């Protein structure tokens, strides 16, 4: 899969106002600050396409980026940002959940987790919710550049082992670093593969 063009189309709080046309969508979700927007920039090779910040809570809307005039990468707000008000968190939860459950164009969700940390309750519960609702997803470990190769391997293995306590099968798993452009080909190939199965 080669990226020939990548353009920002629109930001929305309502999935119903997202672009028409039925083009397939690949969306990125995960805790605030995990690196969703950075990953979109890394995959598209366009610095500054999606807005990033060192402070959590940057992305607050559903952002559509049209790729090769054919399909969308979708940047979603993060969940679990404790310093937002209860109402603010509820509102974001609604935006995210409605998009994920109702958006027919969504073909795959990439769930990002920071590879430095042990499995977090909030992510495990989110995956269970995806499973209950039969939402196809894959797991993307982020920030791989922040730890050494030995810890990286053991963290990924420990995470998979934890998931296998409650899941019969693992979803596809990717290890990435937006900083080092690691995992780009793998994710793009996977997106290409899903699209060829849609035809
Ligand atoms: P919200 O929009 O707030 O939910 O956050 P986000 O998940 O979109 O995170 P964002 O891409 O804005 O990145 C958060 C911070 O992590 C920024 O300071 C990024 O530079 C940093 N970051 C993201 N990915 C990587 C990575 O692979 N390696 C390193 N070292 N830093 C990263
Ligand atoms: Mg963001």
């Amino acid at each position: 899969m080669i990226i020939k063009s990548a353009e920002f189309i629109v930001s929305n709080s309502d999935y119903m106002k997202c672009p028409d046309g039925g083009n397939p969508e690949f969306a990125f979700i995960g805790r605030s600050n995990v690196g969703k927007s950075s990953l979109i920039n890394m995959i598209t090779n366009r610095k500054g396409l999606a807005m990033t910040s060192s402070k959590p809570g940057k992305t607050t809307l559903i952002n559509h980026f049209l790729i090769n005039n054919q399909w969308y990468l979708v940047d979603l707000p993060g969940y679990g940002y404790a310093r937002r008000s209860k109402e603010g968190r509820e509102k974001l939860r609604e935006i995210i959940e409605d998009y994920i459950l109702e958006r027919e164009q969504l073909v795959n969700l990439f769930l990002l987790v920071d590879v430095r940390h042990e499995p977090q309750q909030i992510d495990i519960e989110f995956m269970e919710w995806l499973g209950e609702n039969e939402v196809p997803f894959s797991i993307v470990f982020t920030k791989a550049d922040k730890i050494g190769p030995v810890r990286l391997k053991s963290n990924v293995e420990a995470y998979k082992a934890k998931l296998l306590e409650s899941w019969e099968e693992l979803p596809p798993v990717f290890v990435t670093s937006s900083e080092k452009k690691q995992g780009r080909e793998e994710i793009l190939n996977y997106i290409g593969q899903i699209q060829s199965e849609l035809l």
Side-chain angles (χ1 to χ4, degrees), residues 33 35-38 50-53 57-60 63 75-78:
N33 207 243
K36 301 174 290 297
S37 304
S38 303
M51 299 231 264
T52 66
S53 168
K58 177 71 179 172
T59 310
T60 55
N63 296 284
D75 194 10
L76 295 171

Side-chain angles (χ1 to χ4, degrees), residues 30-39 41 51-60 75-79 81 84 112 142-146 176-180:
R31 298 185 77 174
S32 288
N33 207 243
V34 70
K36 301 174 290 297
S37 304
S38 303
L39 189 64
N41 293 339
M51 299 231 264
T52 66
S53 168
S54 57
K55 295 197 203 91
K58 177 71 179 172
T59 310
T60 55
D75 194 10
L76 295 171
Y79 54 74
Y81 179 38
R84 216 185 279 286
L112 277 59
T142 64
K143 309 195 183 186
D145 58 287
K146 292 208 178 218
T176 69
S177 161
S178 295
E179 199 70 24
K180 298 263 188 277

